[in-house]
Amino acid sequence: EVLVLESGGGLVQPGGSLRLSCAASGFTFSSYVMSWVRQAPGKGLEWVSIISDSGGTTYYADSVKGRFTISRDNSKNTMYLQMNSLRAEDTAIYYCAKVEDYYVSPNKGYFDYWGQGTLVTVSS
Amino acid sequence: SYELTQPPSVSVSPGQTASITCSGDKLGNKYASWYRQKPGQSPVVVIYQDTKRPSGIPERFSGSNSGNTATLTIRGTQAMDEADYYCQAWDSSTGVFGGGTKLTVL
């Protein structure tokens, strides 16, 4: 059974930092692209970042570029999101998602498995 | 930046057909996927690569994508289909979600 489990959320002050983790199981983690998607309270889904299977290629939404860093440790089947210079507008549930078919062109990728999410609250 | 536009809400009577649209520039040249999210739950993919249904998703769910519009169609809509629905596509290597559509079955 494929499982992805986020952790690391919590309350942080504006300007602070937080690192989220996503532990994966039930599939060959090192063979799949992984992504972070967030959802502000009462709002829609927002794509945040994506990382290649090797970890060598990453992309970010403009809203987090320069502040967030995505990474992965394939030996631990875990993906991370380092969030710095946090703002109130970063308050959201952060979901980890496995991506299928990302490399096919044009991009056929889709999110086939999602975690339950971890809540990040940025407030003083 | 690339944008996807969805109607905020769609209403349908039980047993009828619901259609949710997603508009974007030349969206038909990209692949669209659709996600269902019920209150307090994580999103679930219901349609991927425009028309494909994952295992476990009922046959009443279907999708199409042409021109500037992708459409999610739910035939014989049931009360359990009431949820928020999001379309998603890729602008080259970055992801884009539509704003979401609240489907009400009444």
Side-chain angles (χ1 to χ4, degrees):
Chain A
E1 181 189 9
V2 172
L3 288 174
V4 288
L5 182 65
E6 305 91 341
S7 62
L11 175 63
V12 60
Q13 292 187 340
S17 298
L18 208 57
R19 189 178 83 155
L20 306 183
S21 298
C22 169
S25 61
F27 63 101
T28 305
F29 182 73
S30 59
S31 296
Y32 286 92
V33 172
M34 298 291 293
S35 190
W36 290 98
V37 176
R38 69 184 181 183
Q39 186 170 35
K43 301 298 184 181
L45 300 175
E46 180 188 12
W47 178 80
V48 173
S49 183
I50 198 163
I51 187 166
S52 63
D53 49 359
S54 68
T57 301
T58 59
Y59 296 97
Y60 300 90
D62 288 343
S63 58
V64 306
K65 199 174 296 181
R67 300 187 298 122
F68 290 11
T69 302
I70 191 172
S71 62
R72 64 192 295 163
D73 184 338
N74 286 343
S75 69
K76 296 183 178 179
N77 288 353
T78 302
M79 175 177 67
Y80 304 97
L81 187 67
Q82 177 66 44
M83 303 184 295
N84 297 332
S85 303
L86 283 162
R87 308 165 179 167
E89 54 265 36
D90 296 318
T91 294
I93 296 173
Y94 285 72
Y95 294 102
C96 161
K98 173 179 170 289
V99 185
E100 186 69 47
D101 284 346
Y102 181 78
Y103 290 120
V104 180
S105 182
N107 199 327
K108 288 186 171 182
Y110 64 100
F111 306 103
D112 58 345
Y113 290 94
W114 298 65
Q116 87 294 340
T118 187
L119 177 62
V120 173
T121 303
V122 183
S123 175
S124 55
Chain B
S1 60
Y2 194 78
E3 293 184 357
L4 294 174
T5 301
Q6 299 179 233
S9 63
V10 168
S11 297
V12 63
S13 299
Q16 298 304 302
T17 297
S19 295
I20 300 174
T21 58
C22 174
S23 299
D25 185 49
K26 297 183 177 67
L27 180 56
N29 292 343
K30 305 178 187 295
Y31 284 98
S33 54
W34 290 90
Y35 301 86
R36 176 184 64 200
Q37 186 180 36
K38 296 184 178 181
Q41 297 184 15
S42 301
V44 172
V45 60
V46 294
I47 293 291
Y48 65 98
Q49 292 167 11
D50 293 341
T51 61
K52 298 179 180 178
R53 255 182 315 105
S55 61
I57 299 301
E59 291 184 8
R60 61 178 182 274
F61 286 82
S62 63
S64 63
N65 185 15
S66 179
N68 294 322
T69 304
T71 302
L72 173 68
T73 302
I74 309 172
R75 292 181 169 78
T77 307
Q78 300 182 9
M80 69 172 67
D81 299 328
E82 189 163 284
D84 293 326
Y85 290 85
Y86 297 90
C87 60
Q88 186 269 327
W90 299 93
D91 181 28
S92 186
S93 301
T94 57
V96 182
F97 283 96
T101 298
K102 181 176 181 60
L103 177 66
T104 301
V105 183
L106 39 70

